Amino acid sequence: MIKKFLIQDDGLVPVESGEAPILAFIDPTAEEREALRRTYKIDDHTLSSTLDPDELSRVETHPDHLFVIWKRPRDYSATDTSSFNVGSMGFFLYSDRLWIIATDDIQPDDTPKTRPMRTAQDAMLAIMHQSVHHYTEHLRAIKKVARELQEQINQSMENRHLIQMFNLSESLVYYLNAVDSNRAVLTRLRDHAPELGLTADVIPFIDDLAIESNQCYKQAEIYSTILSGLMDARGSIVNNNMNVLLKNLTVINVVFLPLGLIAGIGGMSEFGKITQGIDWRIAYGLLLVTMVILGWLTALLLKRVKSGAKATGAARR
């Protein structure tokens, strides 16, 4: 899909036809990729780099344009995996126009209005600024999802909650790599602005953008450290819940074990012979009462053994 934008009222305005200084190629099809190679003279390696999610951010200078690969977060959809992905996008900045190649759509309404947008380089920096805000919003979402998963882990023994937690931790690692890679791009744009064809008035904005990227990186780093540090503890909670369940099932099994032994040794036919001459209602009633008493005594014995074990452990400490 090809989208065209004009710069009006300090923002990007989409247009359907005619010439436009800003072209966005969103997840280009095979025909559109061929057009990029033939009409816009973009080679296969550069085109593949702009769409490769594993490509690192970088800046390349060419005689007539500036080429930038920028990392931005992919659109998040709530699923059972709870993973946040990162994608790449490419900027081809000329003196009076800008080409953008990306896998996800560009929403001009979400572009922050922090400074006037009058040129193509202003549009490029505004889209970069938008992606930094996008990272920050995703970090808030990751924090919220992590809290919800923590509550579910405390109440459940299912592995899928832990898997979702692992996916969040992995997503934060990708975010850290992407934001750090973007910081290197901003550093080069700031330090070599004249050589890269950028005007002096954008340098303060690049400085502000670099500060926000650093803050985003620190925030992602803190979340990653906390999340990875608590993974073992949350795994221990699941193991503890499983141990409690197994203990309760073992107690129930031990209580019914002697009852099953008695029923198995005597058998229904043998019990009938033993109680021959006694009304069956009385015989089976006495048997039921005896088994209930025996089960209660067994449970009481287990409770005393458990209390004794706790007292012994406390004395040793």
Side-chain angles (χ1 to χ4, degrees):
M1 178 175 62
I2 302 177
K3 301 181 70 173
K4 300 180 179 181
F5 298 96
L6 295 176
I7 300 177
Q8 293 180 359
D9 299 328
D10 295 332
L12 297 179
V13 179
V15 294
E16 297 296 333
S17 60
E19 295 294 330
I22 299 177
L23 298 179
F25 302 87
I26 309 301
D27 194 14
T29 62
E31 293 78 8
E32 292 172 346
R33 295 189 184 191
E34 181 61 28
L36 286 170
R37 300 186 188 97
R38 184 180 62 256
T39 305
Y40 299 97
K41 308 303 180 182
I42 298 177
D43 59 83
D44 292 336
H45 174 71
T46 302
L47 182 59
S48 300
S49 298
T50 58
L51 300 175
D52 186 1
D54 297 326
E55 190 74 20
L56 294 177
S57 302
R58 68 175 187 269
V59 179
E60 295 180 3
T61 56
H62 296 270
D64 58 342
H65 70 279
L66 177 69
F67 172 57
V68 178
I69 290 184
W70 184 261
K71 307 293 290 186
R72 69 168 182 167
R74 302 290 301 272
D75 293 335
Y76 170 71
S77 59
T79 60
D80 290 338
T81 57
S82 294
S83 59
F84 293 75
N85 299 318
V86 176
S88 299
M89 64 187 307
F91 295 101
F92 298 82
L93 178 63
Y94 294 82
S95 59
D96 57 350
R97 62 188 187 276
L98 174 66
W99 300 338
I100 305 170
I101 301 178
T103 53
D104 291 335
D105 197 3
I106 296 175
Q107 302 296 334
D109 294 338
D110 297 335
T111 305
K113 304 295 190 300
T114 55
R115 67 186 303 272
M117 184 188 300
R118 299 187 178 90
T119 63
Q121 65 180 3
D122 293 335
M124 181 185 72
L125 294 176
I127 296 174
M128 290 180 176
H129 193 193
Q130 177 189 11
S131 69
V132 174
H133 280 216
H134 204 174
Y135 278 117
T136 304
E137 293 173 357
H138 277 197
L139 289 177
R140 295 194 189 101
I142 288 175
K143 184 178 180 180
K144 181 179 179 181
V145 172
R147 287 180 177 176
E148 294 176 354
L149 287 176
Q150 182 178 0
E151 295 177 358
Q152 293 172 350
I153 289 175
N154 294 338
Q155 301 172 2
S156 175
M157 294 173 296
E158 297 183 8
N159 289 332
R160 67 185 183 94
H161 299 313
L162 277 179
I163 293 175
Q164 291 174 350
M165 190 70 72
F166 282 123
N167 289 336
L168 283 182
S169 180
E170 183 182 13
S171 299
L172 284 173
V173 173
Y174 292 145
Y175 273 30
L176 284 172
N177 291 334
V179 175
D180 186 58
S181 182
N182 287 344
R183 291 195 304 173
V185 168
L186 292 174
T187 300
R188 185 176 181 190
L189 291 177
R190 179 189 58 198
D191 295 342
H192 304 279
E195 294 88 343
L196 298 176
L198 301 179
T199 58
D201 62 310
V202 301
I203 296 179
F205 181 71
I206 295 177
D207 289 333
D208 295 338
L209 191 56
I211 292 174
E212 292 190 24
S213 295
N214 289 333
Q215 293 173 346
C216 181
Y217 180 84
K218 292 296 182 182
Q219 188 176 6
E221 189 177 34
I222 291 173
Y223 287 172
S224 178
T225 302
I226 294 175
L227 197 60
S228 60
L230 293 178
M231 286 300 298
D232 292 339
R234 287 163 180 164
S236 299
I237 290 175
V238 174
N239 293 333
N240 182 67
N241 292 341
M242 181 65 70
N243 292 335
V244 171
L245 177 60
L246 293 177
K247 182 186 70 175
N248 294 334
L249 293 176
T250 302
V251 169
I252 295 174
N253 187 42
V254 171
V255 169
F256 281 93
L257 184 62
L259 307 183
L261 181 62
I262 294 175
I265 292 176
M268 298 305 295
S269 58
E270 297 297 332
F271 181 74
K273 291 183 180 181
I274 294 174
T275 59
Q276 191 175 10
I278 304 176
D279 187 5
W280 68 271
R281 289 176 292 231
I282 298 176
Y284 280 96
L286 291 174
L287 176 63
L288 181 60
V289 171
T290 302
M291 296 182 73
V292 169
I293 294 175
L294 181 60
W296 177 75
L297 292 175
T298 304
L300 183 62
L301 178 62
L302 292 175
K303 185 176 180 180
R304 290 186 176 181
V305 170
K306 180 180 178 181
S307 300
K310 287 184 177 180
T312 302
R316 289 179 179 177
R317 289 194 296 268

